[in-house]
């Protein structure tokens, strides 16, 4: 019997290493899928429409908001981002486990709506290291980096209500932690019960 897909909701302050960790996780578990969000941000070099994001105008985004097309949406660092209800529904029904790389405002909205998900927060080992990583990535101006570090203070406070915190200090250790979480969540009674043959009569 097929079970419903699990939603792994992963948030982190910018620069903590979330994208790198998510890429690694998708390599380790090829059956996991990355939930493709809608965004009004312009594509970066190398980003592919429909794979990294669905890139839309502000008008198109607001039209989807008005039509109730998003399970959650938020403004992050000056752009809009949202997860389509359709994406979650399709994966849930077809038993595909999804990684939602979304910010903590979006994660809070899903929790508020009681959307079943595993909430994971990635922490950097320190603010000093966070700054070092943002600078080392070479993708943002000093002003943008300063704003991201400022935002990180409030974001990190949100980690309190998540299910798991993974400290991304030594990269391989953080990958192992995430791997353990994915595997443990697949063994939850509520998940396994969906796949057992009726002869066990556990549900009676
Ligand atoms: P995010 O997606 O959270 O904004 P990235 O995945 O882009 O962050 O990582 C930010 C930078 O930090 C990248 O240059 C990445 O290679 C580096 N990085 C990620 N994890 C680690 C780690 N454990 N130790 C050192 N550098 C790391
Ligand atoms: P980036 O522009 O670097 O790809 O993403 C910036 C931030 O937006 C990241 O923290 C990322 O997790 C968040 N984000 C990406 N997609 C979504 C989404 O669909 N909803 C929300 N709430 N945040 C998102």
């Amino acid at each position: 019997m097929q079970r419903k897909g699990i939603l792994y909701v992963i948030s982190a302050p910018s620069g903590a290493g979330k994208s790198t960790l998510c890429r690694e996780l998708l390599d380790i578990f090829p059956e996991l899928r990355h939930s493709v969000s809608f965004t009004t941000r312009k594509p970066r070099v190398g980003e592919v429409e429909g794979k990294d994001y669905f890139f839309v105008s502000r008008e198109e985004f607001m039209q989807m908001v008005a039509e109730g097309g998003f399970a959650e949406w938020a403004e992050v660092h000056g752009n809009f981002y949202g997860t389509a209800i359709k994406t979650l529904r399709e994966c849930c029904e077809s038993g595909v486990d999804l990684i939602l790389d979304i910010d903590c405002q979006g994660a809070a909205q899903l929790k508020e709506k009681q959307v079943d998900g595993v909430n994971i927060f990635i922490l950097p080992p320190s603010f000093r290291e966070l700054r070092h990583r943002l600078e080392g990535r070479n993708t943002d101006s000093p002003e943008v980096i300063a704003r991201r570090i400022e935002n990180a203070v409030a974001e990190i406070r949100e980690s309190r209500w998540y299910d798991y915190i993974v400290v991304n200090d030594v990269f391989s250790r953080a990958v192992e932690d995430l791997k353990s979480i994915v595997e443990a969540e697949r063994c939850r009674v509520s998940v396994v019960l969906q796949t057992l043959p009726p002869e066990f009569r556990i549900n009676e």
Side-chain angles (χ1 to χ4, degrees):
M1 279 208 293
Q2 188 183 283
R3 63 164 172 77
K4 290 192 288 182
I6 300 172
L7 303 182
Y8 297 98
V9 179
I10 308 189
S11 309
S14 178
K18 181 177 53 166
S19 313
T20 318
L21 285 166
C22 286
R23 270 199 299 276
E24 190 74 13
L25 213 52
L26 289 164
D27 269 355
I28 296 171
F29 299 102
E31 74 287 3
L32 268 182
R33 292 260 183 84
H34 165 243
S35 162
V36 182
S37 298
F38 286 75
T39 184
T40 60
R41 166 166 83 58
K42 297 278 166 285
R44 294 187 187 125
V45 178
E47 282 186 329
V48 178
E49 163 73 21
K51 181 170 172 276
D52 297 291
Y53 282 105
F54 296 110
F55 297 98
V56 293
S57 65
R58 286 195 163 224
E59 291 69 31
E60 288 169 312
F61 192 94
M62 283 309 160
Q63 178 71 25
M64 270 186 83
V65 171
E67 288 166 358
F70 288 122
E72 63 75 31
W73 67 275
E75 185 173 355
V76 189
H77 309 309
N79 292 297
F80 292 115
Y81 295 84
T83 307
I85 290 178
K86 192 163 166 263
T87 306
L88 300 192
R89 193 174 294 143
E90 281 173 3
C91 285
C92 187
E93 285 170 3
S94 56
V96 171
D97 294 344
L98 259 194
I99 293 191
L100 273 72
D101 167 347
I102 66 176
D103 89 314
C104 35
Q105 303 172 75
Q109 289 173 35
L110 294 180
K111 193 176 169 78
E112 178 81 10
K113 290 183 184 169
Q114 299 186 332
V115 173
D116 248 344
V118 181
N119 295 304
I120 307 167
F121 199 95
I122 313 284
L123 271 182
S126 64
F127 278 109
R128 190 193 158 104
E129 177 61 18
L130 185 65
R131 175 182 294 280
H132 184 67
R133 286 183 193 171
L134 282 168
E135 287 170 351
R137 193 166 64 177
N138 249 331
T139 53
D140 305 294
S141 65
E143 295 75 39
V144 170
I145 290 178
R147 183 142 65 106
R148 291 190 175 207
I149 289 174
E150 216 177 285
N151 290 345
V153 177
E155 285 165 350
I156 287 171
R157 283 181 59 80
E158 294 294 309
S159 63
R160 282 174 300 182
W161 56 261
Y162 277 67
D163 300 310
Y164 297 96
I165 291 178
V166 171
V167 179
N168 181 21
D169 186 353
V170 176
F171 186 75
S172 57
R173 178 69 246 175
V175 170
E176 281 307 309
D177 287 349
L178 281 172
K179 212 174 133 196
S180 306
I181 294 167
V182 168
E183 284 168 342
E185 288 295 330
R186 288 176 168 174
C187 297
R188 266 195 192 279
V189 171
S190 57
V191 172
V192 178
L193 272 187
Q194 299 171 40
T195 65
L196 292 178
E199 64 193 4
F200 287 128
R201 297 174 199 274
I202 295 174
N203 277 319
E204 287 171 17

